[in-house]
Amino acid sequence: MGIGRNNGVEGSVSIEQHIAAPAHKVGPYIGDFRNAGNWMVGIESVERIAENTYRLKLDTPVGKIEPGVSVTEHGDHSVRWMYTSTVEGGGRVEVSPNSTGGCVVSYTGEFKLKRKLLDRAARAVGMERFSRRNGERSLLRLKQLMEARRY
């Protein structure tokens, strides 16, 4: 698993995870945003509002928040979303096949809480570190879910 900053942007994480499951099985699973609550750590629920619009319930160091999300891209090997309320930024998950028959899943996310007071509180309690740790744990959970399936 690789971890790094994304171009030095505040509130940015970039993580990779190798998964011993075929990309053509992992990709559609992550591409359906309704599955996010099954593998993304910190998401308590995903409520579908419209075709590509969702409301998340997130447990964060500054309390529970409920950002709106617009899925701007989803396909057989990726999903991209933008936050529409409470949080600025978005995320992207991509699945690429590797030479072993498995795949590499890459997650990149950028975030900043919209209210300055909340954003200051988030920085004070280590929101970026929290998000990176949750991202790592999320990709490990996805790895476990996908590798446990029999294809």
Side-chain angles (χ1 to χ4, degrees), residues 1-12:
M1 177 170 23
I3 304 166
R5 287 182 166 256
N6 186 8
N7 299 326
V9 176
E10 180 183 335
S12 178

Side-chain angles (χ1 to χ4, degrees), residues 115-135:
R115 292 190 204 144
K116 287 185 180 187
L117 181 61
L118 280 178
D119 192 51
R120 278 196 302 262
R123 281 195 307 261
V125 297
M127 188 72 148
E128 184 175 342
R129 185 176 58 248
F130 170 81
S131 295
R132 182 176 294 114
R133 188 176 68 240
N134 273 5

Side-chain angles (χ1 to χ4, degrees), residues 143-151:
K143 174 182 177 68
Q144 292 166 345
L145 284 170
M146 295 291 101
E147 290 180 355
R149 292 181 172 197
R150 299 287 176 205
Y151 296 103

Side-chain angles (χ1 to χ4, degrees), residues 32-64:
D32 184 343
F33 202 75
R34 293 171 296 184
N35 291 327
N38 296 334
W39 65 274
M40 287 185 170
V41 173
I43 294 180
E44 292 185 357
S45 68
V46 177
E47 177 186 358
R48 188 174 186 182
I49 306 297
E51 185 172 342
N52 290 317
T53 307
Y54 301 85
R55 180 173 329 286
L56 304 179
K57 274 191 182 171
L58 304 175
D59 189 12
T60 75
V62 295
K64 301 210 187 288

Side-chain angles (χ1 to χ4, degrees), residues 40 51 59 63 71 93 98 106-107 111 115 124:
M40 287 185 170
E51 185 172 342
D59 189 12
V71 174
V93 179
N98 65 21
S106 303
Y107 164 75
F111 58 89
R115 292 190 204 144

